[in-house]
Amino acid sequence: QQQVKQSPQSLIVQKGGISIINCAYENTAFDYFPWYQQFPGKGPALLIAIRPDVSEKKEGRFTISFNKSAKQFSLHIMDSQPGDSATYFCAASCSDSSYKLIFGSGTRLLVRP
Amino acid sequence: NAGVTQTPKFQVLKTGQSMTLQCAQDMNHEYMSWYRQDPGMGLRLIHYSVGAGITDQGEVPNGYNVSRSTTEDFPLRLLSAAPSQTSVYFCASRLEGGLSTGELFFGEGSRLTVL
């Protein structure tokens, strides 16, 4: 049972472009939605996270957009750089279930120079 | 701080062999967990622990055992390895309870191949 569906599986963007990765969830009890970034040979690291009391959160070039009614959230990377090339995972959890994170299947992003 | 340390980084096993993946953290995190990462499947939770002496199952616990005798260590045991357990394994930890932001801190992974 895949509770968090992520798309696309892979994405190629030119330097300076906008990268958009989408996720959809099923469990309406989820109240914490992080994005993790993973470089080859490394463990995932938290990039940015949002809670459902806001519709958007921005940190530098990274923005999460959240649509509670549609049960969807997305990551936007503005002015994409080759150094952003990595695998991105969305995730979701309930704060009252010990924050057990359920991850999406991942998106491999390649930013071409 | 070393963060989350996993050993070994690489391991090859034959079907039926047993082994233990080690995980240690020096951040005094109560919560520790093990995930496996497979292509197209994302990260799936195997087992987790919210403190010493307490463990629970995640999404894919079959074939794996864990124990938590100290706050720092959370080993993952494969009792009889199968080719389906070929994967990259990640240990992750975080604070538990009211101080937690939910952020998980991951180790660098252990790549296991079962022949």
Side-chain angles (χ1 to χ4, degrees):
Chain A
Q1 180 186 4
Q2 188 178 6
Q3 297 189 52
V4 180
K5 294 184 178 180
Q6 183 172 347
S7 63
Q9 188 174 6
S10 63
L11 182 62
I12 300 175
V13 174
Q14 289 297 124
K15 178 182 176 181
I18 302 174
S19 304
I20 301 175
I21 305 171
N22 301 298
C23 281
Y25 63 97
E26 300 168 359
N27 188 346
T28 55
F30 287 152
D31 60 1
Y32 174 67
F33 303 91
W35 285 88
Y36 280 77
Q37 180 188 54
Q38 182 183 31
F39 293 105
K42 301 295 184 182
L46 180 66
L47 182 63
I48 186 173
I50 196 169
R51 296 185 187 274
D53 53 343
V54 296
S55 60
E56 185 175 281
K57 183 174 182 180
K58 184 177 181 179
E59 291 184 2
R61 296 183 294 107
F62 300 91
T63 300
I64 299 179
S65 297
F66 182 77
N67 186 328
K68 188 174 182 178
S69 61
K71 293 187 287 185
Q72 295 175 347
F73 58 110
S74 60
L75 176 69
H76 296 237
I77 306 175
M78 310 300 289
D79 187 26
S80 299
Q81 299 297 312
D84 297 330
S85 297
T87 299
Y88 292 82
F89 293 97
C90 63
S93 71
C94 305
S95 56
D96 63 356
S97 69
S98 198
Y99 281 114
K100 283 188 294 182
L101 280 178
I102 305 297
F103 284 86
S105 55
T107 297
R108 184 171 292 185
L109 171 66
L110 175 64
V111 181
R112 290 205 165 125
Chain B
N1 284 352
V4 178
T5 302
Q6 292 183 233
T7 56
K9 293 191 184 303
F10 301 94
Q11 183 72 49
V12 179
L13 288 178
K14 294 181 180 179
T15 297
Q17 287 185 319
S18 63
M19 78 156 299
T20 299
L21 299 178
Q22 301 291 344
C23 176
Q25 53 89 12
D26 60 359
M27 297 175 283
N28 203 30
H29 287 169
E30 299 93 341
Y31 180 95
M32 297 186 74
S33 56
W34 278 100
Y35 284 85
R36 60 177 290 174
Q37 181 177 10
D38 302 291
M41 301 293 288
L43 293 143
R44 292 181 292 168
L45 182 63
I46 303 171
H47 284 286
Y48 67 99
S49 168
V50 297
I54 306 169
T55 63
D56 206 345
Q57 297 181 350
E59 302 170 72
V60 288
N62 293 339
Y64 308 95
N65 281 350
V66 293
S67 60
R68 184 92 179 272
S69 57
T70 67
T71 299
E72 295 78 17
D73 301 298
F74 191 44
L76 179 71
R77 298 183 186 87
L78 286 72
L79 299 179
S80 179
S84 60
Q85 294 178 304
T86 294
S87 187
V88 180
Y89 291 85
F90 287 98
C91 180
S93 72
R94 59 164 172 79
L95 290 169
E96 177 69 0
L99 292 178
S100 177
T101 62
E103 178 178 1
L104 270 178
F105 295 83
F106 283 83
E108 295 204 331
S110 296
R111 182 177 294 275
L112 175 66
T113 301
V114 183
L115 302 176

